[in-house]
Amino acid sequence: QVRLMESGGGSVQTGGSLRLSCAVSGSTDSRYCLAWFRTPPGRQREGVAVIDSDGDAGYDDDVLDRFTISFDKAQNTLNLQMNSLKPEDTATYLCAAEIEGPAGCDLGDIFPRDFETWGQGTQVTVSS
């Protein structure tokens, strides 16, 4: 079982950048799928990006070419670099983890129900 803690949220103007981090601690010997989700105001949680143990990543269409997910193995930290931010990116961002199954991580669809471990979340606000 791993534990997750996000940091790096804040407020930024349209077009700005933010970098979110998620410290991964606990039992990290297993292969994990790690992902970022967000919960916009008044909306359901949605997947943003996912990365597997080999470093292969998948993205929601809304963030493709603007956000980059990465995992720093030396620091055991999951990162999300967010560029060209828009007001519709405003949300609480959460990192999540699931043990990678025999079929690997699903990089095409990022569903909250597939993840069993969650961080507390960090707020990102983008003003116009």
Side-chain angles (χ1 to χ4, degrees):
Q1 188 75 9
V2 296
R3 295 179 295 277
L4 308 172
M5 181 174 292
E6 303 93 340
S7 61
S11 297
V12 66
Q13 291 188 326
T14 297
S17 298
L18 281 174
R19 184 177 179 86
L20 304 183
S21 294
C22 173
V24 182
S25 61
S27 176
T28 57
D29 293 337
S30 301
R31 290 173 61 87
Y32 281 90
C33 305
L34 299 172
W36 286 98
F37 289 83
R38 64 186 181 187
T39 309
R43 293 170 54 185
Q44 291 186 337
R45 188 167 296 176
E46 57 191 36
V48 174
V50 61
I51 190 168
D52 66 16
S53 296
D54 295 324
D56 295 318
Y59 297 89
D60 181 81
D61 287 344
D62 287 344
V63 307
L64 190 62
D65 297 329
R66 297 190 298 124
F67 290 10
T68 302
I69 190 172
S70 62
F71 184 72
D72 184 334
K73 292 184 178 180
Q75 299 292 327
N76 266 358
T77 301
L78 177 71
N79 299 302
L80 184 69
Q81 178 65 41
M82 305 186 295
N83 299 327
S84 302
L85 283 161
K86 307 174 183 179
E88 49 265 44
D89 294 319
T90 294
T92 300
Y93 284 72
L94 308 97
C95 57
E98 63 164 343
I99 294 177
E100 188 175 320
C105 303
D106 186 348
L107 303 182
D109 296 299
I110 314 168
F111 296 124
R113 65 171 182 263
D114 294 333
F115 290 79
E116 65 262 10
T117 303
W118 294 84
Q120 294 298 309
T122 185
Q123 179 66 33
V124 171
T125 302
V126 185
S127 58
S128 57

